[in-house]
Amino acid sequence: MLDRIGLGLTAVAAALFSLAPSAGTGTLKITVHDARDRMALTGAWVQVGPFPGVPFSGNSAATNGAGSVFFDDPDLSGPQTVTAAAAGFARLTLIAAAVDSVTLRLQPEIADTTLYGAKAELSGTVSGIAVANNDGNLDIGLVYPSFSIGDVFSGGALPIEAPLDTVTFPLVGEVVLPGNVVLPNQTEGLFFLFSKPNYHFFVPDHRTYDFLCVSGRAPLAALTNPDPRNSMAMREIGVERQIAVNGNRTLTVNSDIDLTVNLTLTMPEAPVGSEMQVFSLADIAEPLGTQTYFYDSKTGIAGTTTQFLLSGRNPMGDLSTSVPFIAGVYGDSSAADAWGAGRVDRTPLVLPATRTVGAFFNLPDLMQSNDHFAWSDVARPGVTPDPTWAVATFRLSPITPGDSTVTTRTLWEVWTAASSGSFALPHLDPAAPGGIMDAAETPDADQLTWDELVGDPGGPIQQVLDDPYSSATRFSRRTVPISRPVTAVPPEGGSARAALRFLAPSPNPFHETTRLRIEVPSEGWLSVRVYDPAGRLVAVLMDGRVAPGPVSLTWSGAGGRGKRAPAGVYFVRATTGGQSVVRRVVLR
């Protein structure tokens, strides 16, 4: 797993969610932003519903200059499925959750390797770091801007870009260090001076930050260790709060707050051989939102490492409003990073303390059937709460994990209620930007992968979309390779549309049963599914291989677990060989 801020903290994949929608009003406003800077995306493509023309004709449109599009139709009742897409961005679908107004933030298809947009350089020194000379150790500081916990756990780009500095030290020689690392003047070996007093790094411009320096003591060999966290005893923190950045600026950070090694953590549920990471943290309420201070972080391998000793601090002095808490993650220790789980424990913490990081969600098992994706329940009865939301991410990823010659592309992100346990990708007009690429048609040694993350945050839908970690306590995930699903609707009058015939259901409307007659043009896999107007799967009527010719099915109105669906409008979709036809039925 990737160390994301110099010598300090490690990014952890995950993300998820909960919402409590209200009743629909017949109107819906969708706003689309670039997730990197939250600026409006003009001309983004938006579809309401699972298919073109469903739940009403004219259910797709482009965003205006403010990045918004408005829909007004009597069929817009209750939570809706919406999809947003734009050239150069991953598609984003929200399943049966959009009500009244919602803002969707699209991630770039190819992740930026540097900060996006205007950036400013912050540089300066750190005063007050306590130094011990000639003890065989070095006192090292790490300067960084404040984050939200979601910045770290989401796996996205952190708001810092630290250039690499080459520094020549006595005894050691040339060492490459991130620009946000400082070493105050100190002497080892009686008269050898070790010094890197200045820091510098870039942050997004025109924002307000808390800037911190966390410092610790580590053996001299830590200078050549790519990840020295486990050898460092974190001893101090300095904080400069609410610093407005408008262009390059210098700042002296005063390291004047003691940290103490007084927190013992264990993680007995981590599978043997998995990589473990634990964190000592504190939330700080600031005018622009809660920020998370990272006091300490340690790593280990389950079955080898039995406990972790971390530094922390109780609320007092300049940090009297801080709320300390702990977090831990475990995951696949191979380069594939194919699975993992996380736990955020915000129960009151008074130091010194010994805590167990446990009660994780189970890992999900994943199943695909063309455009239908399902996962196993991750809840542990009597141990964990139920998950609330899940996020699926479809990517083109290297066949060989870690292959730097292959560019990873994020293609589609789908948010859906975890209680559903499944979703079907919406079918969109071929003119919609982006979509699921065919790995066989790219020049790279890549494959399609599906990552499903399941967690338990709560709150209104917009809060969940903006910061799913603000109330999350658990998440788990798994990544698997998949085959390419069919999600484009053939154009009207095209040969693909004519090849698959779906005759008018009869009777329609119906009360007892309706007959569905489909003429399949060639042998292959046939999927026939029933959806409600919001795009939620109601029933699977057929999912298997068939011979060419007529196929006759009936639907009695039965939904999941055989329970009868409520009276109303439903849509039956037949899909085979890259072709899809939808019929509308009314259950009375």
Side-chain angles (χ1 to χ4, degrees):
M1 294 187 181
L2 178 66
D3 183 24
R4 307 187 56 222
I5 41 177
L7 300 176
L9 315 167
T10 301
V12 183
L16 315 267
F17 338 95
S18 161
L19 55 87
S22 60
T25 62
T27 61
L28 183 62
K29 176 186 177 183
I30 305 297
T31 302
V32 183
H33 285 172
D34 184 332
R36 296 168 295 186
D37 57 9
R38 301 198 171 187
M39 297 298 290
L41 286 176
T42 301
W45 187 92
V46 177
Q47 176 178 297
V48 177
F51 321 110
V54 176
F56 55 90
S57 61
N59 65 327
S60 64
T63 57
N64 60 23
S68 298
V69 61
F70 298 83
F71 297 93
D72 187 349
D73 192 276
D75 285 331
L76 279 172
S77 60
Q80 298 294 317
T81 293
V82 295
T83 300
F89 292 86
R91 291 177 176 177
L92 191 154
T93 294
L94 184 60
I95 301 285
V99 177
D100 299 331
S101 177
V102 68
T103 298
L104 304 179
R105 297 190 168 95
L106 305 189
Q107 299 291 342
E109 181 181 299
I110 300 175
D112 296 307
T113 56
T114 59
L115 288 177
Y116 177 78
K119 57 187 178 182
E121 185 177 32
L122 194 83
S123 59
T125 60
V126 179
S127 65
I129 295 179
V131 175
N133 294 312
N134 297 308
D135 66 346
N137 295 304
L138 292 177
D139 293 285
I140 303 171
L142 174 75
V143 186
Y144 64 96
S146 55
F147 308 130
S148 70
I149 191 170
D151 287 330
V152 174
F153 283 176
S154 68
L158 289 172
I160 180 173
E161 180 184 315
L164 297 178
D165 296 335
T166 300
V167 186
T168 301
F169 292 106
L171 303 177
V172 179
E174 284 192 351
V175 176
V176 177
L177 294 174
N180 61 327
V181 170
V182 296
L183 277 77
N185 292 344
Q186 50 201 290
T187 302
E188 292 298 330
L190 297 180
F191 53 81
F192 293 109
L193 177 65
F194 289 78
S195 178
K196 183 182 179 292
N198 298 304
Y199 70 85
H200 68 120
F201 56 86
F202 296 90
V203 293
D205 203 0
H206 309 300
R207 298 188 188 180
T208 298
Y209 300 89
D210 289 358
F211 288 104
L212 304 92
C213 178
V214 176
S215 61
R217 185 163 291 166
L220 187 63
L223 277 179
T224 57
N225 187 341
D227 186 359
R229 282 173 294 172
N230 291 341
S231 62
M232 292 186 69
M234 308 312 292
R235 304 175 64 246
E236 298 176 15
I237 185 171
V239 182
E240 304 299 329
R241 299 175 73 168
Q242 296 300 281
I243 304 298
V245 174
N246 292 288
N248 300 342
R249 67 170 298 165
T250 59
L251 179 70
T252 298
V253 180
N254 185 24
S255 180
D256 59 353
I257 303 173
D258 291 334
L259 298 176
T260 305
V261 181
N262 55 7
L263 176 60
T264 301
L265 299 181
T266 61
M267 196 184 296
E269 293 179 14
V272 172
S274 63
E275 180 183 2
M276 302 181 293
Q277 301 174 69
V278 292
F279 301 88
S280 172
L281 316 99
D283 277 342
I284 307 287
E286 296 287 21
L288 298 179
T290 299
Q291 298 297 298
T292 300
Y293 292 0
F294 288 78
Y295 293 150
D296 202 353
S297 172
K298 296 289 186 285
T299 67
I301 299 298
T304 300
T305 305
T306 57
Q307 67 178 23
F308 303 92
L309 300 178
L310 293 90
S311 297
R313 182 178 176 85
N314 288 318
M316 63 180 71
D318 289 345
L319 298 180
S320 61
T321 60
S322 64
V323 181
F325 66 101
I326 60 174
V329 297
Y330 68 77
D332 183 0
S333 58
S334 75
D337 190 23
W339 48 268
R343 180 77 166 90
V344 180
D345 185 353
R346 288 188 173 88
T347 55
L349 178 63
V350 178
L351 301 171
T354 297
R355 286 285 185 87
T356 295
V357 183
F360 287 84
F361 278 146
N362 289 325
L363 299 174
D365 294 320
L366 308 184
M367 297 142 282
Q368 179 199 8
S369 176
N370 186 29
D371 61 348
H372 187 249
F373 299 86
W375 60 93
S376 61
D377 189 6
V378 300
R380 298 164 60 189
V383 177
T384 70
D386 290 332
T388 52
W389 265 84
V391 170
T393 305
F394 298 93
R395 297 185 177 94
L396 274 176
S397 305
I399 294 174
T400 302
D403 185 350
S404 61
T405 66
V406 177
T407 300
T408 297
R409 299 174 183 271
T410 302
L411 306 176
W412 205 327
E413 185 178 293
V414 180
W415 298 57
T416 188
S419 59
S420 68
S422 67
F423 67 88
L425 282 173
H427 280 217
L428 310 179
D429 188 283
I436 306 294
M437 299 178 183
D438 188 346
E441 296 177 358
T442 72
D444 295 331
D446 53 16
Q447 62 181 343
L448 281 172
T449 60
W450 161 35
D451 184 86
E452 188 71 30
L453 305 104
V454 188
D456 69 343
I461 179 56
Q462 196 62 62
Q463 175 185 317
V464 168
L465 289 169
D466 292 347
D467 185 7
Y469 293 93
S470 61
S471 60
T473 68
R474 294 163 177 82
F475 50 85
S476 66
R477 54 166 287 270
R478 190 183 296 275
T479 302
V480 296
I482 60 169
S483 58
R484 185 190 186 195
V486 177
T487 58
V489 177
E492 291 288 347
S495 59
R497 171 72 73 168
L500 174 64
R501 296 189 64 203
F502 190 167
L503 304 182
S506 178
N508 189 24
F510 74 100
H511 180 69
E512 298 295 335
T513 60
T514 185
R515 184 183 179 195
L516 310 171
R517 294 169 294 171
I518 302 163
E519 294 186 4
V520 179
S522 60
E523 181 180 357
W525 199 271
L526 175 65
S527 169
V528 182
R529 297 190 175 106
V530 182
Y531 298 87
D532 68 12
R536 289 173 290 217
L537 181 66
V538 175
V540 177
L541 306 182
M542 177 73 188
D543 203 9
R545 183 167 292 277
V546 297
V551 174
S552 183
L553 302 169
T554 61
W555 184 44
S556 64
R561 300 184 178 89
K563 183 179 179 181
R564 184 173 174 84
V569 175
Y570 294 89
F571 298 90
V572 185
R573 182 178 65 187
T575 303
T576 186
Q579 307 163 52
S580 182
V581 181
V582 178
R583 290 291 186 180
R584 181 178 186 270
V585 296
V586 178
L587 173 63
R588 288 181 172 173

